[in-house]
Amino acid sequence: MEFQAVVMAAGGGSRMMDLTSSIPKPLLPVGNKPLIWYPLNLLERIGFEEVIVVTTKEVQKLLNLDTKMKLDIVCIPDDADMGTADSIRHIHQKIKTDVLVLSCDLITDVALHEVVDLFRAHDATLSMLMKKAHEPTEMVPGQKGKKKPVEQRDFIGVDDTGKRLLFMANEADLDEELVIKRSLLQKHPRMHIRTGLADAHLYCLKKYVVDFLAENRSLTSIRSELIPYLVRKQFSSPASLRQRQDNKEQDQKKDQKSLDIFSYVKGDSLLEFAPDKSCWNSHSADLNEAFHGGKVRCYVHIMKEGLCYRVNTLGLYIEANRQVPKLLPALVCPEEPLVHVFAQVTDRGLVGSDSIIGSSTQVGEKTSIKHSIIGSMCTIKDRVKITNCIIMNSVTIEEGCSLQSCLICHNAVIEKGADLRDCLIGSSQRLEPKSKHVNEVIVGSEQLMEI
Amino acid sequence: QGPLLQQPNPPACSELGTGAQLPCGEVRRPSPSGALAIGSATVTCRAPLVGGLGRAVPPMPAPVPSEGLAGSEKLAGGKSKAELRAERRAKQEADRALKQTKKVESTPAAALAKPRLQPSEPQSMVKRVPEHVQVDDPAAQKRLAKKLERQQVPLRPDYGAKVNLFSHLHQYSRKMPLTQQMSIPSTAIHPAVVRLGLQYSQGLLNGSNARCLALLQVFRQVIRDYSTPPNEELSRDLVARLKPYISFLNQCRPLSASMGNAIKYLKKEISGLSSTLREEEAKGKLQGSIDGYVREKIQLAAEAISKYAFEKISDGDVILVYGCSSLVSRTLCDAHANGRAFRVIVVDSRPRLEGRDTLRRLVRKGIRCTYVMITAISYMLPEVSKVLLGAHALLANGSVMSRVGTSQIALVSKAYNVPVLVCCETYKFCERVQTDSFVSNELDDPDDLILPGKGGAHLRGWKENSSLRLLNLVYDVTPPELVDLVITDLGMIPCTSVPVVLRVKNVEQ
């Protein structure tokens, strides 16, 4: 078997607590499908038959997907604060080959063979996917004014071909200067440093990296710790060489096994097998052999066009919901219509062509629905105007309401004549009749306790 | 029109036109409706039968009837369809009777233990024109597509407009790899084979020896991971298992002559396995024979060639080499290590610029090198004492098939009276005959010719321009008159002795 797929669905969604306090992030509906459906659908389309899903018990209970793949759901305890690398360590017994690690919040239509081909052809240690990020343009409910980029920037250095990943650093880890090692510049004199790239959290990792993670307990997160470690290690010499020059006393102090990745690297690469026979080189500038004799190699595929979203903030969630109706016909069997067969819509003509309506939803007369996504089992009475909204399951909207650019969570009830604009209504909330809200977040009091 | 046949003595099988004479002496005339369906380029000639219309029983089973012969033709001499059919039936009966007698005579046990003997008469074998030089023939391509579908190997689409002279060859783009159409955890094809195919198609693994070595490594791994399904015999099933892999690799990049010979050897070894061996023993034996092949035919051969060539290199020599040949580089490094004083002129050419790799290897060993482009050879040749070239394959008429540009160097060297030496292991000797570089060649990705950066501005829109075609040839054929000596592991032979070596090899096998 060539690859095993692992989907990480245990994360909390800490940047959109308004939503995730009531619904776990993997189950957030996007286009009326749970968020975790999208990476699973991607894996199914490209031909995987088995997937390991790492998640919490809560999600496992509510998870109900119809997929042809065999899902091996591994639960990690709720209270243990496990990072993604910890989760890999937890399941490392199951992993027998190279892994493809995905995050549950990835929505993309990338041709995955581009990432995997880099991994195969260059016999790489790591291969990942990135896309040029763009600011979400939608108004986010509850947000006052223009959002300042709070996140720290990532500096990504690639070589001339744009495929080899040479350098990765986050602004948060740097003091005032960007430090580039001399060994890196000697081997790759031309490097392009880019900011503004969004990481898709899709990684192809070799099996020996998983073995290394199993032994080395100091790494907790794949993205923030393991990947920068591997990228750095491309240009440092194997520890065995350095240890010979090390102090003898230091060696005696560390009596544990060397926790360096190099001791795990298995070199049976065809490219290294007969290096003096092949007339190919990864670089042309100097006299060294291909790859400069480096054992660890990291590659990145930077998408130029297409969709690639990581739904981890409210703005991106709303943006994803906007884009998904265009994407769904390509992803799913095209027979599934946007308006579900079991939905009872009285005035079909008033429903826009890119709106999605879930099953068992009743829509009353003279109700116009434009550019919206409505979940299943909703009841929408007459003369309601819904524009640009995201409405989850089992919501009741009484007559005469007008909703614009709102996000309404499960089981909410909007009484007659309400006028809402740019609002976020938490789950199971009840709004009084004729209430008017602009740009507000209305959630329950117990949710307000979460910080 | 049909391509040239590649046989040592092409039989007198002229174009089937009106009243043409077939070797078997029949005269065919096209039917009045003009339905002479000999459009297929696969003209397979029958063995020259004895006599005119006499149906002498050939020693081989009945040869495959030529394609395209419409059954509705009326033959000369007033023979109708029914009579022809009756004659054919009679011939088949005679064949069957002969087979029966043969079966009764031979013992059943011997039939199992004996490996299949190749027919000793080369004339009765029907040679097919290979598919990869028939790209412009839709029937051949349909057959290929069906075969690939059966083997679950995706078909790689051709790319870009081709130069007319080479429209019978495949031209692929590196940006459209075969893996686009395959599932990601590849199940139909072994992952190591997929990886190898990718490395071939993206140009990461170049060079005849390197490709062959990598292929044998991968097959070794495939054999290691193989397990015989129940009710199957390893010797038959493993060959059947390898066929899709070979098709896949062929789709990624056409097989080289060295790879072809290695595959033939491996298939013979597998078929020759005794059925009494257990699976582990059989696998071990196969892996051992692969190791033996690598050691003898590649590594030891390289040592032998290096030793022979050492005698030819004298102190104070100026040696010209072209491109990147692992054998030539090794020879020069060994000669230098053994104390010969010489200097090297490395000639390079676009778009591959492989000479840089030779330069790297030689300079690291301390050899004095000069680096020029192929356009400068007539300026450099007056000071060169000998030219050392590598080869992709040596053909049966003594021609050398090598990287494009080699024949040019041989030609100009001849004009300057500089001796041309070719180094080639015997496992690259091929039974094909070619006198030109057109019939069987390889077309590389034409986008490679576009210079990166500002230089490529003119060529970048080449696909939109209907009168512009880009040609990126990979190989060319040097005629034997231009080559003075071939250094092989069997010794130093003139070009014309190559058929002798091939004959000796065949007898051995």
Side-chain angles (χ1 to χ4, degrees):
Chain A
M1 223 198 338
E2 199 185 356
F3 281 109
Q4 276 175 284
V6 177
V7 175
M8 296 286 181
S14 46
R15 274 180 277 187
M16 28 186 202
M17 284 316 284
D18 300 327
L19 290 177
T20 53
S21 47
S22 45
I23 318 167
K25 185 164 97 162
L27 300 174
L28 274 179
V30 174
N32 282 345
K33 294 202 192 296
L35 186 53
I36 197 175
W37 181 88
Y38 290 89
L40 289 177
N41 175 265
L42 174 68
L43 290 174
E44 189 174 344
R45 264 185 300 132
I46 60 180
F48 272 95
E49 285 166 12
E50 295 182 351
V51 180
I52 302 174
V53 180
V54 178
T55 182
T56 55
K57 283 212 183 39
E58 196 189 341
V59 172
Q60 185 186 23
K61 269 192 292 217
L62 301 167
L63 197 59
N64 176 18
L65 294 163
D66 59 342
T67 164
K68 295 189 204 66
M69 298 190 294
K70 194 167 85 76
L71 296 182
D72 180 5
I73 303 188
V74 174
C75 289
I76 57 173
D78 276 339
D79 47 359
D81 188 17
M82 288 179 95
T84 38
D86 296 325
S87 313
I88 297 270
R89 202 172 298 130
H90 187 78
I91 54 170
H92 103 272
Q93 300 289 355
K94 295 186 182 239
I95 299 196
K96 312 258 180 294
T97 65
D98 302 336
V99 283
L100 179 64
V101 179
L102 285 167
S103 171
C104 67
D105 52 11
L106 176 65
I107 300 183
T108 180
D109 62 351
V110 72
L112 210 56
H113 74 89
E114 308 251 8
V115 179
V116 176
D117 280 350
L118 281 176
F119 183 72
R120 287 165 171 156
H122 297 98
D123 200 35
T125 309
L126 157 74
S127 169
M128 53 193 283
L129 175 67
M130 287 194 155
K131 176 145 201 287
K132 195 151 176 47
H134 61 121
E135 291 300 314
T137 48
E138 304 282 336
M139 264 298 287
V140 177
Q143 195 194 322
K144 312 278 186 274
K146 201 101 171 68
K147 178 165 147 196
K148 269 201 301 263
V150 181
E151 278 125 63
Q152 309 281 25
R153 287 181 295 175
D154 262 328
F155 294 97
I156 311 279
V158 290
D159 74 343
D160 253 346
T161 61
K163 301 273 174 206
R164 179 94 191 260
L165 184 58
L166 301 174
F167 181 79
M168 179 184 281
N170 191 287
E171 204 175 346
D173 301 327
L174 304 170
D175 250 335
E176 283 170 4
E177 309 155 330
L178 196 71
V179 178
I180 302 180
K181 276 166 118 159
R182 189 190 305 184
S183 55
L184 162 59
L185 281 180
Q186 270 173 348
K187 294 176 185 170
H188 295 269
R190 286 186 68 116
M191 179 166 67
H192 302 260
I193 299 196
R194 303 178 62 161
T195 54
L197 282 178
D199 187 345
H201 278 229
L202 188 151
Y203 308 114
C204 284
L205 292 168
K206 272 247 184 297
K207 172 152 191 329
Y208 59 75
V209 176
V210 177
D211 298 336
F212 167 70
L213 268 186
E215 296 294 316
N216 189 338
R217 310 197 91 85
S218 60
L219 301 172
T220 49
S221 159
I222 295 184
R223 173 62 178 90
S224 42
E225 288 173 37
L226 178 64
I227 308 290
Y229 174 79
L230 289 176
V231 174
R232 261 195 330 264
K233 277 297 182 182
Q234 287 181 98
F235 300 106
S236 50
S237 46
S240 51
L241 276 174
R242 268 189 279 116
Q243 265 188 346
R244 261 179 252 137
Q245 300 148 17
D246 257 353
N247 235 335
K248 276 246 171 78
E249 301 148 24
Q250 277 190 334
D251 278 354
Q252 283 160 6
K253 274 190 213 147
K254 331 183 202 168
D255 43 317
Q256 62 205 27
K257 195 156 61 119
S258 155
L259 290 179
D260 203 304
I261 183 76
F262 289 110
S263 45
Y264 291 88
V265 169
K266 285 193 190 58
D268 65 344
S269 154
L270 292 169
L271 294 175
E272 294 159 345
F273 166 60
D276 55 337
K277 296 270 190 284
S278 169
C279 50
W280 172 78
N281 204 328
S282 55
H283 57 95
S284 60
D286 62 23
L287 295 179
N288 289 325
E289 67 232 2
F291 297 129
H292 300 278
K295 298 255 178 241
V296 176
R297 295 183 277 276
C298 301
Y299 284 85
V300 62
H301 173 68
I302 301 180
M303 270 175 88
K304 295 199 179 59
E305 17 177 64
L307 285 176
C308 179
Y309 292 112
R310 274 205 64 228
V311 178
N312 54 2
T313 63
L314 198 50
L316 283 169
Y317 175 74
I318 295 179
E319 173 107 17
N321 267 301
R322 298 269 175 266
Q323 299 292 332
V324 147
K326 299 180 205 133
L327 178 62
L328 266 185
L331 283 189
V332 196
C333 24
E335 307 99 53
E336 217 178 277
L338 289 182
V339 175
H340 203 276
V341 275
F342 293 138
Q344 295 155 12
V345 180
T346 331
D347 283 330
R348 257 315 163 88
L350 290 173
V351 175
S353 57
D354 57 352
S355 295
I356 301 182
I357 301 188
S359 77
S360 315
T361 291
Q362 292 168 329
V363 178
E365 292 176 20
K366 299 210 179 66
T367 299
S368 88
I369 300 174
K370 301 223 183 324
H371 309 300
S372 298
I373 300 181
I374 304 189
S376 44
M377 295 186 282
C378 291
T379 311
I380 303 179
K381 298 271 166 61
D382 311 329
R383 284 170 287 122
V384 177
K385 260 177 61 111
I386 301 179
T387 318
N388 251 339
C389 288
I390 302 168
I391 298 176
M392 298 193 195
N393 301 340
S394 308
V395 168
T396 309
I397 301 181
E398 303 286 350
E399 289 113 1
C401 291
S402 163
L403 289 90
Q404 190 170 341
S405 305
C406 290
L407 205 162
I408 308 196
C409 299
H410 296 302
N411 300 316
V413 176
I414 317 279
E415 295 285 358
K416 292 192 221 211
D419 186 357
L420 301 170
R421 185 196 273 255
D422 296 325
C423 290
L424 192 159
I425 314 286
S427 46
S428 310
Q429 293 301 303
R430 194 180 191 91
L431 285 184
E432 292 95 44
K434 296 220 192 325
S435 47
K436 248 180 140 57
H437 298 278
V438 177
N439 202 359
E440 281 179 36
V441 174
I442 302 173
V443 289
S445 52
E446 69 276 0
Q447 291 155 0
L448 287 174
M449 294 302 286
E450 313 252 6
I451 295 180
Chain B
Q1 305 302 345
L4 297 174
L5 290 174
Q6 297 160 354
Q7 274 182 335
N9 306 304
C13 197
S14 53
E15 287 254 27
L16 290 166
T18 326
Q21 197 77 6
L22 274 190
C24 24
E26 284 176 325
V27 177
R28 298 206 182 281
R29 266 200 218 107
S31 58
S33 58
L36 187 67
I38 310 189
S40 154
T42 312
V43 179
T44 57
C45 283
R46 267 179 226 245
L49 294 176
V50 175
L53 292 169
R55 297 287 171 189
V57 176
M60 287 290 299
V64 175
S66 323
E67 274 143 13
L69 286 171
S72 58
E73 296 165 61
K74 268 229 174 247
L75 307 170
K79 277 184 152 286
S80 71
K81 219 169 43 170
E83 287 180 41
L84 193 57
R85 241 189 276 145
E87 272 182 32
R88 272 204 289 259
R89 219 174 292 137
K91 190 179 78 172
Q92 278 171 357
E93 294 298 323
D95 269 342
R96 226 170 279 149
L98 198 67
K99 246 198 222 161
Q100 290 291 358
T101 51
K102 265 207 193 136
K103 232 192 224 171
V104 165
E105 284 164 13
S106 65
T107 53
L112 271 178
K114 239 187 327 187
R116 278 180 296 121
L117 281 174
Q118 292 292 355
S120 43
E121 298 112 296
Q123 300 135 315
S124 20
M125 271 218 297
V126 174
K127 279 229 190 280
R128 284 211 122 88
V129 178
E131 170 288 319
H132 63 86
V133 296
Q134 285 190 282
V135 175
D136 52 352
D137 171 27
Q141 291 309 300
K142 239 195 292 185
R143 257 182 285 132
L144 172 72
K146 262 198 253 171
K147 178 175 97 154
L148 289 181
E149 208 181 338
R150 218 180 32 239
Q151 296 176 334
Q152 291 180 302
V153 172
L155 178 69
R156 198 166 179 196
D158 275 11
Y159 168 75
K162 292 185 240 182
V163 172
N164 273 332
L165 266 176
F166 293 95
S167 56
H168 61 285
L169 298 172
H170 282 295
Q171 181 171 283
Y172 298 128
S173 165
R174 221 157 268 157
K175 295 203 190 62
M176 298 197 291
L178 216 47
T179 48
Q180 232 168 348
Q181 304 154 44
M182 294 169 58
S183 71
I184 293 264
S186 68
T187 37
I189 313 273
H190 192 279
V193 176
V194 175
R195 190 161 30 128
L196 183 66
L198 265 176
Q199 285 171 344
Y200 282 159
S201 70
Q202 290 182 5
L204 296 177
L205 210 57
N206 270 331
S208 189
N209 277 336
R211 285 165 71 188
C212 187
L213 278 172
L215 177 77
L216 289 174
Q217 265 308 92
V218 162
F219 276 173
R220 210 166 177 282
Q221 200 177 336
V222 165
I223 291 175
R224 194 187 64 204
D225 295 338
Y226 171 77
S227 54
T228 330
N231 300 330
E232 293 280 349
E233 225 186 278
L234 185 137
S235 55
R236 269 192 285 268
D237 188 60
L238 186 55
V239 175
R241 189 72 69 89
L242 288 180
K243 280 212 179 101
Y245 300 165
I246 296 168
S247 300
F248 174 77
L249 292 175
N250 210 354
Q251 286 290 294
C252 289
R253 187 171 167 191
L255 296 182
S256 68
S258 54
M259 288 163 70
N261 287 344
I263 290 175
K264 255 191 253 175
Y265 172 78
L266 186 61
K267 278 193 179 160
K268 193 172 77 68
E269 285 291 303
I270 296 177
S271 322
L273 279 180
S274 149
S275 48
T276 55
L277 285 176
R278 278 181 307 116
E279 181 174 318
E280 289 310 313
E281 287 176 6
K283 286 184 1 182
K285 190 157 175 279
L286 283 176
Q287 288 172 340
S289 56
I290 292 182
D291 291 338
Y293 189 82
V294 167
R295 203 176 44 242
E296 285 171 19
K297 306 277 182 172
I298 304 181
Q299 288 165 351
L300 286 180
E303 279 182 32
I305 293 176
S306 176
K307 279 211 185 72
Y308 284 126
F310 183 68
E311 297 163 29
K312 287 289 177 189
I313 301 177
S314 17
D315 279 330
D317 257 350
V318 180
I319 304 181
L320 186 118
V321 298
Y322 176 64
C324 183
S325 166
S326 53
L327 200 48
V328 168
S329 311
R330 189 214 164 114
T331 308
L332 293 176
C333 294
D334 287 350
H336 181 80
N338 284 335
R340 281 272 198 270
F342 59 89
R343 66 182 179 92
V344 176
I345 300 181
V346 179
V347 178
D348 204 3
S349 73
R350 275 195 70 226
R352 286 176 178 240
L353 291 174
E354 288 169 332
R356 295 179 299 182
D357 219 54
T358 314
L359 195 62
R360 174 171 61 88
R361 285 180 211 169
L362 297 181
V363 169
R364 277 186 108 174
K365 299 283 176 149
I367 305 176
R368 281 172 55 207
C369 296
T370 311
Y371 176 84
V372 295
M373 282 288 159
I374 194 170
T375 43
I377 48 172
S378 37
Y379 300 101
M380 306 303 294
L381 272 170
E383 56 189 67
V384 169
S385 51
K386 47 180 71 81
V387 174
L388 206 54
L389 300 172
H392 167 91
L394 233 65
L395 305 171
N397 62 339
S399 323
V400 178
M401 185 173 199
S402 184
R403 184 68 82 224
V404 65
T406 313
S407 60
Q408 200 177 347
I409 294 198
L411 185 67
V412 183
S413 308
K414 185 86 175 179
Y416 281 89
N417 275 328
V418 175
V420 173
L421 311 174
V422 170
C423 298
C424 184
E425 299 99 328
T426 47
Y427 87 104
K428 290 185 191 161
F429 283 20
C430 189
E431 278 168 10
R432 273 202 329 245
V433 169
Q434 262 183 259
T435 51
D436 57 60
S437 315
F438 298 100
V439 167
S440 177
N441 207 324
E442 190 187 325
L443 294 179
D444 209 358
D445 190 350
D447 289 336
D448 283 352
L449 291 176
I450 304 177
L451 281 172
K454 291 200 273 273
H458 304 291
L459 281 183
R460 249 187 269 274
W462 71 276
K463 285 196 287 279
E464 283 81 46
N465 189 342
S466 56
S467 7
L468 182 60
R469 313 278 164 99
L470 294 191
L471 177 67
N472 190 356
L473 267 186
V474 181
Y475 298 116
D476 72 7
V477 172
T478 310
E481 302 85 46
L482 301 178
V483 176
D484 294 308
L485 192 65
V486 177
I487 308 178
T488 69
D489 42 324
L490 294 177
M492 300 194 263
I493 56 176
C495 246
T496 42
S497 304
V498 169
V500 177
V501 172
L502 279 173
R503 193 157 24 98
V504 165
K505 250 200 326 174
N506 277 340
V507 165
E508 270 174 36
Q509 285 168 3

